[in-house]
Structure formats: structure tokens, C-alpha cells
Amino acid sequence: MSTSARSSAAVPALLVAAATLFLSGVFFPFFHVAKFWIFHEAISVVGGIITLFQEGEYFLFAVLTLFTLVFPAAKLGLLALIWLERDKDLSRIQRLHHWVATLGKWSMLDVFVVAILIVTMKAAGLAQLQIGLGLYLFTFSVVATQLASAWIDRLLRD
């Protein structure tokens, strides 16, 4: 099988995998919290964002919605558009891919926020924290998206 034939199948497969992992990752629990060995709660990205809105934490709601939901979804959408339009206007597609790379840098802020939250909760000793399936799915989504983006970048340069 030639490199272009493998690329024709690999990039869409990576994009579908990334989208599936992303959508499931934000709904599955990112972590399970046990407070004082009595109260147990599973927290997902979407559940946490809804809670922030209900609690009136509008700034955090907006920031996390933007960086955890909107940017990754926009990045996946732009990568799919680039892949579908790759044989048309090359300069336009390359500009779009530049935007994808910029979005990718900003969308990593959510990973940083989650890491700070986990470290803070564990360090404070307020709760016992266990990583949930959602965090792994979301992480694999980020990796699959980055692989697809790098693969497309390489194809656009050839």
C-alpha cells in the first residue's frame, strides 16, 4: 500500500477516533472524588461546567467552556474541513492549518487547568481523588488530534 493510500485512510480514521474520544471523554467522569470517606462524586467536564454556571461562576464557566469544549471541537472541525478541501486552494488550506496550530496551543490550557485542580485537591488533603475514564479518553483525543494535524501538515508540505 502506498504512502498516499495509507494517508487517505489514516487521517480520516484519526479524526473520527479523536472526535469519538473527545465526545465521550467530556461526558465520562474525569475523576471520582471521595470526601471524608463518606461522600463520593463523579465529575465530568460537562457536569463541572454546568455546575459552574449554576453556581454563578460565569468567568470560570466561560473560560472552561471555551478551552475545553469550543477550541477542541473547532480544531477537529477545521482539520476535517482541511482534509476534505486539501486538493483545492492550497494556500487557503495552509492558512487554515496555521489557525489549527494556533488553536491547538490554546486548547492545551484545559489540560493545564485540570492538572492544577488535581494537584491542588490532592495537596490540600480535602479529598481523595481517583482519575476517571473521561480523563484518559480526553487525553487520547488530544493525542489523536495532534497526530492527525501533524500528518496533514506533512502532506500539505509535500
Side-chain angles (χ1 to χ4, degrees):
M1 182 182 269
S2 72
T3 302
S4 76
R6 280 193 302 258
S7 297
S8 294
V11 171
L14 280 170
L15 291 174
V16 168
T20 303
L21 290 164
F22 170 72
L23 287 173
S24 56
V26 296
F27 286 101
F28 276 92
F30 253 45
F31 33 80
H32 301 272
V33 181
K35 298 175 191 170
F36 308 113
W37 302 280
I38 299 170
F39 304 105
H40 296 274
E41 188 176 4
I43 301 170
S44 70
V45 170
V46 172
I49 287 173
I50 290 169
T51 300
L52 286 172
F53 183 80
Q54 291 171 339
E55 296 291 324
E57 296 290 346
Y58 301 118
F59 177 73
L60 286 175
F61 164 80
V63 168
L64 288 178
T65 299
L66 185 66
F67 291 114
T68 308
L69 299 177
V70 175
F71 276 16
K75 184 175 180 179
L76 282 168
L78 284 173
L79 283 172
L81 178 66
I82 288 166
W83 181 253
L84 293 171
E85 300 287 319
R86 69 191 180 281
D87 293 331
K88 298 196 172 112
D89 183 3
L90 184 60
S91 65
R92 181 177 144 257
I93 295 302
Q94 287 173 330
R95 280 193 312 275
L96 272 176
H97 195 265
H98 173 73
W99 280 103
V100 167
T102 302
L103 274 177
K105 292 173 187 168
W106 281 100
S107 69
M108 290 305 291
L109 181 62
D110 60 322
V111 175
F112 179 67
V113 169
V114 169
I116 288 176
L117 180 62
I118 290 171
V119 168
T120 302
M121 289 181 78
K122 283 193 172 212
L126 298 174
Q128 182 182 14
L129 211 61
Q130 291 181 325
I131 304 301
L133 179 61
L135 184 61
Y136 292 108
L137 295 172
F138 189 83
T139 301
F140 291 137
S141 170
V142 169
V143 170
T145 302
Q146 288 302 109
L147 287 171
S149 182
W151 205 317
I152 289 172
D153 184 52
R154 190 178 73 214
L155 292 172
L156 290 175
R157 292 175 194 234
D158 291 341

